[in-house]
Amino acid sequence: MIRTRVLSLPRRAKQGVVGVVDVCLAALALWLAFAFRTETVQWPQLSHGWVYVLAAGLSVPVFVRNGLYRAVFRYSGMAAMLALAKSVGTYAVLFAAVLWLWAPVGVPRSVGLLQPVFFLLLAGGVRVLARQWLSAQSASMRSREPVKRLVIYGAGAAGVQIAMALSRAHEFALAAFADDDQAVQGRSINGVNVYSPLELPELIKSQGVTDLLLAMPSISRERRLEILNQLEKLPVHVRSLPALADLAHGKIAVSDIKELDIEDLLGRATVDPDPGLLPHAIAGQTVLVTGAGGSIGGELCRQILSLAPDKLVLLEHSEFGLYAIHRELEQLRERMGVAVVLCPVLCNVQNETKVMEVFKNHRPSLVYHAAAYKHVPLVECNPAEGVANNVFGTLNVARAALVVQCKAVVLISTDKAVRPTNVMGASKRLAELVLQALAGVKALRATDGAAAMRRVDDMMSTQTRMVYPNRTTFSMVRFGNVLGSSGSVVPLFREQIAHGGPITLTDAKVTRYFMTIPEAVHLVLQAGAMAKGGEVFVLDMGQPVRIFDLARRMVELSGLTLRNASNPGGDIEIKVTGLRPGEKLYEELLIGNDPQRTAHPRIMMAHEKMVPWDELLPKLTELSRAANTQNIAHIRDVLLELVDGFTPGELIAQPYADSGFDNNNGSTGTHP
């Protein structure tokens, strides 16, 4: 086809073709101007030749100077037409001035005014026709694929802008607008009718609508959830535009269309931070985050960066994870315009010597300890590694904090630490006990006598004992699952839905507490700011969510249907695979009862039993020896003795000795 050949030409050749066309149009406009002025139609006269040369020779340089030949015809719009009008205006001034000063006999000066008018009409008309002709080629190529028919929910500025972008992209065919505002219902926007949301079921059926775009970025979260609940049962794939703050720069484009936010899947309003409780003491301080490359650690870094610390130390044992978060924070720092020193450190918290070296070099004031092995089945199969990282990694961080006299250490804990049924949860509860015991040592020094203090000192390492009395405050923040984190069900379910299913679910009755990563980190920062020493803060995560309901909501908001006994022709099946080793049907956030309220309505303080340091330390020594020698049975025995409510299932991992591995030559570990 001719269009295909034109589109395949080199860019210089295309620009040359357009230039030749403009020269011809300038000459044609001049001929029309003569005909209009003299009211006669005749061939161009030889005496007018130099005027034709002037018109043609003047148009191309002016258009080149104004960048008209850099535009792509099939994507040009109103901005290109305005640029053309400005260029023809410049051309008109120059052309009329030359004719006014040097017009030969027989050339009316009014031609200098008429010719640019005809030229603008011809050049603009040709460009519009070329755009339609060339765009038809792309449309015909796409027409071989099924076109998605779309309804835009929201007939405001965002909806209109995205409709204009969609008209050029040809990915969707816009069927209608829907809007709650009765003032716009029944009207049309660029030829597209606006309907009431109540008419959507019939409209979707009659128009064959496949997708619905929620284009109302400025509405409240509560109203957004109301709309999504109404749309949930409609057989369309629901998409959205980002929040208004994310669209502040530039116009809305097709690339802004995305899957629903994780907050939309949560089914409740997110928790906003209380500005009055944000830890303003972070400003100007050195802050260290362990596990900085993880989901929670990374978000901690982002939010801490916005509070303008003097230095932010990123401690991470994954090279790629550290690279990714460091690069992201550098870009974020530039956008925020804050002068924060970023220090990426490759380090495993199990390496006591390296951790101590990092703390002595940077001397952080505040430490947020997010580094942990958290995947239940993996830790269940590797209990020694889980204990070494979660328990003794925490102890290494705490000791280093004592040595450099950090102001505060905040441990990121988990609801799986409450009456755990797996090694991961038990190891996190033991990490809490370690910090509670160290906080208890600080309190003991303030109240007890010298004899008790000597007994505790004998249990402490030499380098830790040297810094007492100390001012380090230890606290823990316990919360449940975060949507969107590594290992979260949401990315997994999305991937399974995209592949046509099935969605794998361990049990139809499984429930979990959920928060989004940003709101969990907001509360972590605020809880840490309230700490006095030894507190176990618990985040109020609302009502637990049934995972089956979350999966069903994701399927339905994707415009698909569940395949089950009552609907065998459905699109996606939810397949129950059985509980994994160490997994619970229900998670809890509190071990005891009657949690204490704090200054924040969504942060509670738990009353948890603690183990004194002089009783805990010998058991930690046993546990360290068992972990170093891969004595998994003894690891479980120590955890059973220390962690209240620990009810392990069948022993999954077997000691290396059973497979011929010499326990005495195992990897070295950390001793308390």
Side-chain angles (χ1 to χ4, degrees), residues 363-591:
R363 309 195 75 81
S365 299
L366 302 172
V367 176
Y368 293 90
H369 180 43
Y373 289 155
K374 62 181 181 179
H375 294 280
V376 169
L378 292 180
V379 176
E380 200 70 6
C381 293
N382 300 275
E385 287 71 20
V387 165
N389 195 75
N390 295 353
V391 178
F392 296 109
T394 300
L395 181 58
N396 291 338
V397 169
R399 280 183 162 169
L402 289 172
V403 169
V404 302
Q405 300 194 59
C406 295
K407 292 180 182 178
V409 175
V410 180
L411 169 68
I412 309 302
S413 192
T414 170
D415 58 352
K416 293 176 177 59
V418 178
R419 281 179 277 274
T421 58
N422 51 70
V423 175
M424 193 283 280
S427 66
K428 291 296 288 183
R429 175 57 188 147
L430 187 49
E432 292 180 356
L433 289 172
V434 167
L435 295 195
Q436 285 180 291
L438 290 176
V441 171
K442 178 180 178 181
L444 182 64
R445 288 179 176 276
T447 59
D448 256 6
M453 291 321 337
R454 282 194 297 272
R455 186 176 72 253
V456 172
D457 278 342
D458 289 341
M459 297 289 183
M460 301 292 288
S461 69
T462 302
Q463 61 179 354
T464 305
R465 187 167 63 247
M466 288 167 54
V467 303
Y468 273 99
N470 74 87
R471 294 182 296 275
T472 304
T473 297
F474 295 104
S475 62
M476 297 123 269
V477 183
R478 185 189 294 163
F479 54 91
N481 298 269
V482 285
L483 286 168
S485 67
S486 60
S488 169
V489 295
V490 173
L492 174 63
F493 286 176
R494 275 184 174 158
E495 180 183 347
Q496 291 175 334
I497 290 172
H499 287 87
I503 291 177
T504 54
L505 188 65
T506 57
D507 194 288
K509 298 179 181 179
V510 167
T511 64
R512 292 292 182 264
Y513 290 98
F514 280 109
M515 264 191 170
T516 65
I517 296 175
E519 66 179 337
V521 169
H522 280 314
L523 295 178
V524 165
L525 292 174
Q526 293 179 125
M530 293 187 285
K532 303 299 181 185
E535 297 94 342
V536 178
F537 293 103
V538 178
L539 304 187
D540 179 0
M541 305 187 72
Q543 295 300 314
V545 176
R546 199 163 71 117
I547 305 300
F548 183 91
D549 293 337
L550 176 64
R552 176 190 53 77
R553 183 176 175 85
M554 292 183 65
V555 169
E556 291 175 348
L557 288 173
S558 297
L560 304 172
T561 57
L562 280 180
R563 185 191 310 152
N564 49 34
S566 61
N567 185 25
D571 302 300
I572 303 291
E573 176 189 6
I574 296 180
K575 183 178 181 181
V576 176
T577 59
L579 289 174
R580 299 174 299 178
E583 188 175 20
K584 298 165 70 174
L585 276 177
Y586 313 103
E587 297 290 2
E588 305 167 273
L589 287 167
L590 294 168
I591 298 175

Side-chain angles (χ1 to χ4, degrees), residues 120-180:
L120 176 62
L121 294 175
L122 290 170
V126 166
R127 278 163 169 76
V128 169
L129 291 174
R131 173 189 168 187
Q132 297 298 323
W133 183 63
L134 294 173
S135 296
Q137 171 67 17
S138 300
S140 64
M141 293 173 64
R142 292 187 181 94
S143 64
R144 300 167 190 168
E145 302 178 0
V147 177
K148 299 176 182 178
R149 293 187 61 77
L150 176 76
V151 169
I152 296 179
Y153 196 121
V160 173
Q161 284 188 34
I162 198 66
M164 292 174 63
L166 289 171
S167 68
R168 294 191 292 270
H170 303 288
E171 184 178 351
F172 296 93
L174 182 58
F177 287 96
D179 201 285
D180 301 316

Side-chain angles (χ1 to χ4, degrees), residues 51-122:
V51 183
Y52 281 92
V53 173
L54 174 66
L58 193 59
S59 62
V60 173
V62 171
F63 284 11
V64 170
R65 179 68 178 82
N66 289 325
L68 254 61
Y69 299 130
R70 292 197 298 268
V72 180
F73 270 26
R74 64 182 183 277
Y75 300 132
S76 59
M78 184 56 67
M81 292 298 104
L82 290 175
L84 175 65
K86 291 178 182 178
S87 299
V88 173
T90 302
Y91 162 84
V93 171
L94 297 174
F95 183 70
V98 172
L99 284 188
W100 185 265
L101 294 174
W102 293 292
V105 177
V107 178
R109 287 185 171 86
S110 58
V111 169
L113 301 177
L114 292 172
Q115 191 270 352
V117 173
F118 287 118
F119 188 23
L120 176 62
L121 294 175
L122 290 170

Side-chain angles (χ1 to χ4, degrees), residues 22-357:
D22 284 338
V23 167
C24 296
L25 292 177
L28 177 59
L30 183 58
W31 179 79
L32 289 173
F34 274 116
F36 188 84
R37 175 64 179 81
T38 61
E39 298 182 357
T40 59
V41 177
Q42 57 183 346
W43 287 103
Q45 299 179 22
L46 186 61
S47 60
H48 299 162
W50 80 271
V51 183
Y52 281 92
V53 173
L54 174 66
L58 193 59
S59 62
V60 173
V62 171
F63 284 11
V64 170
R65 179 68 178 82
N66 289 325
L68 254 61
Y69 299 130
R70 292 197 298 268
V72 180
F73 270 26
R74 64 182 183 277
Y75 300 132
S76 59
M78 184 56 67
M81 292 298 104
L82 290 175
L84 175 65
K86 291 178 182 178
S87 299
V88 173
T90 302
Y91 162 84
V93 171
L94 297 174
F95 183 70
V98 172
L99 284 188
W100 185 265
L101 294 174
W102 293 292
V105 177
V107 178
R109 287 185 171 86
S110 58
V111 169
L113 301 177
L114 292 172
Q115 191 270 352
V117 173
F118 287 118
F119 188 23
L120 176 62
L121 294 175
L122 290 170
V126 166
R127 278 163 169 76
V128 169
L129 291 174
R131 173 189 168 187
Q132 297 298 323
W133 183 63
L134 294 173
S135 296
Q137 171 67 17
S138 300
S140 64
M141 293 173 64
R142 292 187 181 94
S143 64
R144 300 167 190 168
E145 302 178 0
V147 177
K148 299 176 182 178
R149 293 187 61 77
L150 176 76
V151 169
I152 296 179
Y153 196 121
V160 173
Q161 284 188 34
I162 198 66
M164 292 174 63
L166 289 171
S167 68
R168 294 191 292 270
H170 303 288
E171 184 178 351
F172 296 93
L174 182 58
F177 287 96
D179 201 285
D180 301 316
D181 187 358
Q182 295 182 358
V184 299
Q185 293 171 7
R187 298 187 178 185
S188 66
I189 299 174
N190 294 330
V192 181
N193 294 330
V194 183
Y195 294 86
S196 165
L198 298 177
E199 300 176 86
L200 280 175
E202 181 60 32
L203 180 66
I204 289 170
K205 183 177 180 180
S206 62
Q207 297 283 343
V209 175
T210 58
D211 291 76
L212 187 144
L213 173 63
L214 187 57
M216 304 177 72
S218 60
I219 59 174
S220 66
R221 174 61 60 183
E222 290 77 9
R223 178 58 186 146
R224 187 180 180 89
L225 290 175
E226 288 178 13
I227 294 173
L228 287 173
N229 288 332
Q230 296 169 4
L231 300 176
E232 192 172 331
K233 297 299 182 182
L234 298 178
V236 290
H237 187 172
V238 181
R239 305 170 189 264
S240 71
L241 287 176
L244 190 62
D246 298 329
L247 298 173
H249 303 289
K251 293 184 178 180
I252 298 173
V254 176
S255 58
D256 293 318
I257 297 176
K258 59 187 182 66
E259 296 298 329
L260 290 173
D261 291 333
I262 287 174
E263 291 90 338
D264 298 327
L265 301 174
L266 188 57
R268 64 164 173 80
T270 55
V271 180
D272 294 324
D274 182 349
L277 291 176
L278 283 175
H280 299 292
I282 284 180
Q285 301 294 315
T286 296
V287 184
L288 185 145
V289 177
T290 71
S295 305
I296 295 295
E299 183 62 22
L300 274 167
C301 292
R302 295 180 198 100
Q303 294 192 24
I304 289 170
L305 187 71
S306 69
L307 297 172
D310 180 60
K311 181 194 295 186
L312 180 55
V313 183
L314 319 172
L315 193 148
E316 172 61 52
H317 81 281
S318 165
E319 181 190 20
F320 177 76
L322 183 61
Y323 162 78
I325 188 62
H326 181 233
R327 184 171 179 270
E328 179 186 345
L329 291 175
E330 284 183 320
Q331 296 171 348
L332 185 60
R333 177 182 61 184
E334 185 176 347
R335 289 198 301 271
M336 289 181 174
V338 292
V340 180
V341 178
L342 297 175
C343 301
V345 178
L346 271 175
C347 176
N348 191 325
V349 292
Q350 297 180 47
N351 188 332
E352 182 181 12
T353 302
K354 176 66 174 177
V355 170
M356 190 68 69
E357 176 189 330

